[in-house]
Amino acid sequence: MTIQTKFQACFLILIATLLSVRPTFSQGTETRLQSPDGKLELVFSQKEVSPGKRQMLYRVDYQKKPVILESGLGIQIDNHVFEHAMAHKVTTPPGTLGVNWCDNLVIKNVVTTTKDTTWKPVYGERSQIRDNYNQVEIQLQKEDSPDYTVSVIFRAYNAGIAFRYFFPEHPNGMYYRVMAENSEFALPANTKAWYTAWAQGPYSALPLANWPENSERPLTLSLPNGLYASLAEAQLTDYAMTKFKLSPDKPSTVLTSMYESADLMSDVGTPWRVIMVAERLGQLLENNDIMLNLNPPTTLQNTDWIKPGKVMREVTLTDAGANACIDFAAAHNLQYILFDWKWYGPAFSFNSDATKVVAKMDLQKIIDYGKSKERSGAPVGVILYVNLQALYKQMDEIFPLYKKWGVKGVKFGFVEVGSHRWTTWLTEAKRKAMENGLMVNIHDEYRPTGTSRTYPNVMTQEGIRGNEEFPDATHDTVLPFTRYLAGAGDYTICYYDKRLKNTHAHQLAMNVISYSPLQSVFWYDKPELYGGEPEIEFFAKVPTVWDDTKVIHDAIGEYVTIARRRGDDWFVGTISNNDGRSLTLPLDFLPKGKTYTAHIYSDDPTVKTKTQVRVSTKSVKAGQSLDMNLLPRGGQAVWISLDK
């Protein structure tokens, strides 16, 4: 060995020692993958679990603490009909449903890659997103039918681990009928889950036992070792929705549970299975960009027409009611009004025609009146509700028509979710709306999987038990660490309605707690309910998209504080559960050396308005704190503006 060669070898050893992180390496039959910061480690292996049966397995640790114990991997393929038709060897005998399709796969190659880039979303909870991961692709082949190949792809982010199954193009054009995924998530004993059975359901803290039904995703978990995790699904576009169920024979083990089978054409991959991991619960929300990073970028070149904003629903379906809503919106910096269902007839009937207005209003004049507000710098756009029946029947006709009318967006009503058919249909609907310059809000049971990176016109979606259901305050303190990990949620914020269970300062704070680029406000309200309450200025000031997001308090089920920045200004929302409490808001997130004015909106029963919200101001700077005395079901909103 020459002196130069020795020097190079020593230098490489020194660098490896200093970094003390090997992103991917193999040890015997194991393949290991580490996150860029070295804290997360995934281990993939194949083991003989019974005579003649070799199974794929994986596990995940965070700084040597177990997150996912040794768990099985696999996907059930039943191709016997295609195989008969194409004179191919039958790999899945009828009646087996492909249960053993992944047994005894042979590893042909292991490919590792690393990525570290930063991209700028059209809008979001942050203005810049870092996409940094280490990846390993395990390329496998069926031992008894080598023209079948499949890869298991793992990505390790600092925020978590993601994996998917990928089928390269089959040389004989074989299709893939996926009957089920057999991906397991074996968790440490005494793990607690924040469970809900449906997208708009209430949450309960349950052990990993005796669930009444399958669980929605994301599924947030509290581990006995002090860590937090959340199981999620990303990039659901051409597949059946997958929820989570308990293993019938393995304790503390969660399984993927597909809504139904999916028929795929290669090359094609399944959605990503995501395991978010954090030391602090709030980090799950701060790191939820992993969902966007697992989706491809948009192909849309011009995004100038995509304009986030606040939306007020018009419920009278009359010219007078619409014009009053537009006047109120323009006066209070709300960007849109929404005509909800029945403007074109009974929403659940295929006989209704969404190209015609049956309500007693002149829609074109209303649209033009909203545009006329541009002269005063406050144009108000119109969004139309269209139910699934009309979308299914008339989508190709109404989207270009609405664009011609000057409509800004469409609220999809009561969409079907779950099946492969309706998932692909909805993907097409997103794309067609985007091609016609229409923003989209999807209701009701649909939950996002990060696809707004690909289709940025999809501004928000329901899939949440929001204010129209009048949930209690405890429910609201759970949402940031469960539903909102998946992305934007249309909470339909109410304010004046007498059915509200929570205080008005709580309602103001929900404008910050709830992330929704199209934020529905004053949901059940009418303009005439406004009585000059001074705190309504907060609705005018608060944005709906952000440059930065920080979670200050993260006591799930008890209290939450989230601080979000837009430009130089910060907006802070704090909510309590059904109990009152005193909290301190540290202002460490403010830049040092600058002075700000904190506009504080707090509950005060002594204030002589029907909402009983006190508005006060205080000069603040970094290093200081604000004391908060929260009523039961209460909250506090703060707008922190930079002194000029």
Side-chain angles (χ1 to χ4, degrees):
M1 183 181 292
T2 65
I3 292 176
Q4 182 179 7
T5 305
K6 287 181 180 179
F7 176 80
Q8 289 173 337
C10 291
F11 179 78
L12 290 174
I13 292 171
L14 175 62
I15 292 297
T17 302
L18 289 173
L19 292 175
S20 69
V21 174
R22 299 172 65 191
T24 313
F25 56 94
S26 297
Q27 180 176 320
T29 59
E30 294 183 342
T31 298
R32 296 172 180 264
L33 180 71
Q34 291 182 337
S35 57
D37 63 7
K39 293 181 179 181
L40 272 168
E41 181 175 69
L42 172 133
V43 180
F44 170 87
S45 64
Q46 279 186 309
K47 289 185 179 179
E48 188 169 6
V49 293
S50 62
K53 180 179 179 178
R54 193 170 64 253
Q55 184 184 14
M56 296 185 294
L57 301 166
Y58 80 105
R59 69 177 190 270
V60 176
D61 293 332
Y62 181 88
Q63 290 189 314
K64 307 302 182 183
K65 292 181 179 180
V67 177
I68 304 295
L69 308 178
E70 190 171 75
S71 302
L73 291 168
I75 192 164
Q76 293 179 208
I77 306 294
D78 183 1
N79 274 2
H80 77 273
V81 173
F82 304 136
E83 290 166 342
H84 282 311
M86 302 181 77
H88 189 281
K89 176 184 176 181
V90 175
T91 60
T92 50
T96 67
L97 300 180
V99 171
N100 300 316
W101 198 87
C102 281
D103 290 353
N104 303 320
L105 293 174
V106 178
I107 297 177
K108 302 301 292 183
N109 197 15
V110 176
V111 179
T112 61
T113 54
T114 296
K115 182 178 181 180
D116 189 0
T117 59
T118 299
W119 59 281
K120 187 176 179 61
V122 179
Y123 53 81
E125 295 180 84
R126 297 150 205 94
S127 58
Q128 291 195 0
I129 296 174
R130 187 179 182 186
D131 189 6
N132 183 23
Y133 62 82
N134 296 319
Q135 175 176 296
V136 61
E137 179 179 353
I138 315 292
Q139 299 176 350
L140 304 115
Q141 186 179 60
K142 275 192 74 64
E143 192 171 46
D144 57 350
S145 187
D147 57 342
Y148 275 116
T149 58
V150 61
S151 292
V152 184
I153 303 174
F154 294 97
R155 287 185 183 176
Y157 296 82
N158 293 341
I161 300 290
F163 66 87
R164 75 189 305 192
Y165 305 93
F166 183 82
F167 299 96
E169 187 173 286
H170 193 282
N172 298 314
M174 193 65 66
Y175 306 138
Y176 291 82
R177 189 174 192 212
V178 178
M179 304 303 296
E181 282 190 37
N182 297 325
S183 303
E184 297 178 347
F185 305 86
L187 292 145
N190 299 317
T191 293
K192 182 175 69 174
W194 290 91
Y195 166 93
T196 185
W198 72 100
Q200 298 173 87
Y203 280 91
S204 302
L206 298 179
L208 301 185
N210 302 316
W211 289 356
E213 300 179 52
N214 291 351
S215 170
E216 254 295 352
R217 72 276 190 271
L219 176 62
T220 298
L221 305 162
S222 175
L223 278 57
N225 56 20
L227 296 175
Y228 296 93
S230 192
L231 308 180
E233 180 176 41
Q235 201 188 345
L236 174 62
T237 55
D238 184 13
Y239 205 68
M241 180 177 68
T242 301
K243 292 188 178 183
F244 299 107
K245 64 182 179 182
L246 294 174
S247 170
D249 51 11
K250 296 181 180 180
S252 299
T253 299
V254 175
L255 307 175
T256 49
S257 178
M258 289 177 64
Y259 183 91
E260 65 171 12
S261 62
D263 294 297
L264 308 178
M265 295 178 65
S266 60
D267 58 356
V268 65
T270 68
W272 291 93
R273 308 298 161 213
V274 187
I275 308 163
M276 299 179 68
V277 185
E279 298 176 13
R280 184 173 56 84
L281 193 58
Q283 289 177 314
L284 295 176
L285 183 63
E286 291 173 346
N287 295 334
N288 68 343
D289 288 332
I290 188 174
M291 302 292 289
L292 297 171
N293 281 331
L294 289 165
N295 282 267
T298 185
T299 59
L300 187 64
Q301 296 299 310
N302 178 20
T303 60
D304 292 345
W305 55 272
I306 299 176
K307 296 184 183 298
K310 289 154 284 191
V311 187
M312 185 173 187
R313 186 173 66 150
E314 205 294 303
V315 296
T316 69
L317 299 182
T318 65
D319 290 340
N323 290 339
C325 259
I326 289 172
D327 290 341
F328 181 85
H332 298 284
N333 194 30
L334 313 182
Q335 287 69 41
Y336 303 98
I337 66 167
L338 163 71
F339 289 115
D340 220 346
W341 71 340
K342 296 186 179 180
W343 67 267
Y344 62 92
F348 292 117
S349 174
F350 279 108
N351 295 322
S352 295
D353 185 353
T355 69
K356 295 180 170 60
V357 181
V358 300
K360 294 181 178 180
M361 62 182 191
D362 189 327
L363 181 58
Q364 193 60 62
K365 283 187 176 180
I366 293 168
I367 292 171
D368 292 341
Y369 183 63
K371 286 181 182 177
S372 73
K373 296 293 182 178
E374 190 166 11
R375 291 194 293 269
S376 59
V380 179
V382 170
I383 297 172
L384 297 179
Y385 174 101
V386 182
N387 209 59
L388 177 62
Q389 282 81 354
L391 288 169
Y392 182 73
K393 179 183 176 182
Q394 298 180 282
M395 179 166 60
D396 291 337
E397 181 183 7
I398 61 177
F399 284 178
L401 179 64
Y402 292 172
K403 182 179 181 180
K404 182 180 178 181
W405 287 354
V407 170
K408 300 302 182 182
V410 179
K411 175 183 171 183
F412 293 5
F414 288 100
V415 297
E416 283 263 24
V417 298
S419 70
H420 188 195
R421 171 198 178 187
W422 286 111
T423 299
T424 54
W425 178 87
L426 189 55
T427 300
E428 276 295 284
K430 296 174 187 177
R431 180 183 63 80
K432 289 180 178 180
M434 185 172 73
E435 290 174 349
N436 284 280
L438 294 171
M439 296 182 292
V440 172
N441 177 0
I442 304 175
H443 279 225
D444 287 73
E445 273 293 290
Y446 173 80
R447 281 193 169 185
T449 60
T451 58
S452 60
R453 182 183 184 187
T454 311
Y455 305 102
N457 62 312
V458 180
M459 310 294 286
T460 191
Q461 46 273 304
E462 197 171 18
I464 190 170
R465 194 174 191 83
N467 233 168
E468 68 178 10
E469 303 270 0
F470 298 106
D472 69 5
T474 298
H475 172 83
D476 291 349
T477 66
V478 174
L479 292 177
F481 315 112
T482 52
R483 166 59 182 84
Y484 281 110
L485 299 184
D490 188 5
Y491 183 78
T492 56
I493 297 170
C494 304
Y495 200 69
Y496 290 111
D497 197 284
K498 293 180 179 180
R499 292 169 291 178
L500 281 172
K501 296 177 181 176
N502 306 321
T503 71
H504 287 87
H506 183 112
Q507 296 303 109
L508 291 172
M510 287 302 296
N511 285 273
V512 182
I513 301 292
S514 167
Y515 167 65
S516 185
L518 282 182
Q519 185 83 276
S520 297
V521 296
F522 301 106
W523 183 250
Y524 286 117
D525 303 328
K526 296 179 181 179
E528 57 263 33
L529 293 174
Y530 172 59
E533 294 79 16
E535 77 273 10
I536 297 302
E537 72 173 4
F538 188 77
F539 283 102
K541 296 296 183 181
V542 65
T544 65
V545 294
W546 309 97
D547 295 323
D548 198 8
T549 294
K550 297 182 182 296
V551 179
I552 310 301
H553 297 128
D554 56 3
I556 186 170
E558 297 182 49
Y559 56 92
V560 178
T561 299
I562 297 178
R564 302 187 192 264
R565 179 179 63 82
R566 180 70 181 275
D568 292 324
D569 289 2
W570 285 85
F571 293 80
V572 184
T574 298
I575 56 174
S576 181
N577 63 3
N578 297 331
D579 300 322
R581 67 188 72 248
S582 295
L583 296 172
T584 298
L585 172 62
L587 300 177
D588 299 337
F589 52 85
L590 295 177
K592 294 180 179 179
K594 297 181 178 181
T595 303
Y596 293 80
T597 298
H599 309 257
I600 304 166
Y601 308 85
S602 55
D603 293 309
D604 187 344
T606 68
V607 174
K608 303 302 181 182
T609 66
K610 61 183 176 181
T611 54
Q612 296 188 314
V613 173
R614 178 170 297 281
V615 181
S616 58
T617 60
K618 183 177 181 179
S619 180
V620 296
K621 58 184 179 181
Q624 295 179 339
S625 61
L626 295 175
D627 293 329
M628 300 183 290
N629 296 310
L630 307 180
L631 297 177
R633 305 180 306 280
Q636 180 175 284
V638 185
W639 163 39
I640 305 177
S641 60
L642 179 66
D643 293 343
K644 304 300 184 181

